Amino acid sequence: IPFLRILITHLSYNHLPKSIFKEKGTIVVLFQNPKDRALLFLHFHNNGMQSVPSYSSRDEFFSGFMTDLWGSCFDPAVTWNKHIEDKNTVVIIYEDLKGNLTASVKQITAFFGFSPTAEQMQAIAGRHTFQPVSVKAQEIHGAVGLMLFHKAVFGDWKNVFAEAQNQKLAAKFTVCLEVAKMGVKFKYDVYCKA
């Protein structure tokens, strides 16, 4: 593949090809707060994707999510925490991206060594909001594209999970990430407290 290629993946750090780290690959890692991530998993599992199980209730889903049915929901963040200061890696938090797209785009472009003009920044920000990206996903992926995008609203977990479930997620976050650099980046007190 020619120089300056972009590859997008959901692979965890441990499943990425080792050549990415040996051959000067540059990595942008995007994370979302754990509670909204759980909600997206629920949405994905219950919207007709035949290759993944659906759940009869939120409680059934939550039980699987919290008992490491698919591996710990915090494993990717715990693993990337070990590499958060690697020179070839930048970690972006979805809520920061959504809250201030221009600042996040500046952070990403600076990381890659680009200096876009104000007009280019505006064009990037306009093309990469939820609506245009979700429409493009439908065009490219059809029905699966609809499942890849939910509401693009953070904090929606408050409307779905019961208080006891929120407390279980908070306790797991505390055990896995609270004192980690990645945990600080999540701004748990801002994005995950009711």
Side-chain angles (χ1 to χ4, degrees), residues 36-48:
D36 279 324
R37 185 167 178 251
L39 182 58
L40 287 176
F41 266 78
L42 173 63
H43 170 76
F44 185 76
H45 278 268
N46 283 348
N47 279 296

Side-chain angles (χ1 to χ4, degrees), residues 57-87:
S57 71
R58 292 178 186 147
D59 291 338
E60 180 189 9
F61 165 81
F62 193 82
S63 176
F65 189 78
M66 291 303 291
T67 57
D68 302 337
L69 184 61
W70 311 290
S72 171
C73 56
F74 293 100
D75 281 352
V78 170
T79 302
W80 276 107
N81 184 67
K82 298 171 190 168
H83 304 281
I84 198 167
E85 293 180 345
D86 290 1
K87 290 180 182 175

Side-chain angles (χ1 to χ4, degrees), residues 7 16-27 88:
L7 305 173
L16 289 170
K18 300 307 173 219
S19 61
I20 288 175
F21 307 106
K22 293 177 185 170
E23 297 177 16
K24 301 180 186 174
T26 306
I27 303 166
N88 69 330

Side-chain angles (χ1 to χ4, degrees), residues 84-166:
I84 198 167
E85 293 180 345
D86 290 1
K87 290 180 182 175
N88 69 330
T89 303
V90 65
V91 174
I92 304 293
I93 302 300
Y94 174 78
E95 289 76 12
D96 292 339
L97 184 71
K98 182 125 171 71
N100 191 340
L101 182 60
T102 302
S104 294
V105 170
K106 283 181 182 177
Q107 180 185 6
I108 294 167
T109 56
F111 176 70
F112 282 106
F114 299 129
S115 300
T117 65
E119 294 80 22
Q120 289 171 322
M121 291 293 294
Q122 188 62 37
I124 291 168
R127 280 195 318 256
H128 293 90
T129 56
F130 178 76
Q131 188 61 33
V133 172
S134 64
V135 168
K136 192 72 169 173
Q138 284 180 263
E139 291 172 10
I140 294 171
H141 302 291
V144 174
L146 290 172
M147 287 182 272
L148 296 176
F149 293 88
H150 187 51
K151 293 181 182 178
V153 175
F154 55 82
D156 200 30
W157 55 268
K158 296 173 191 174
N159 303 317
V160 176
F161 296 121
E163 182 57 31
Q165 293 169 328
N166 288 325

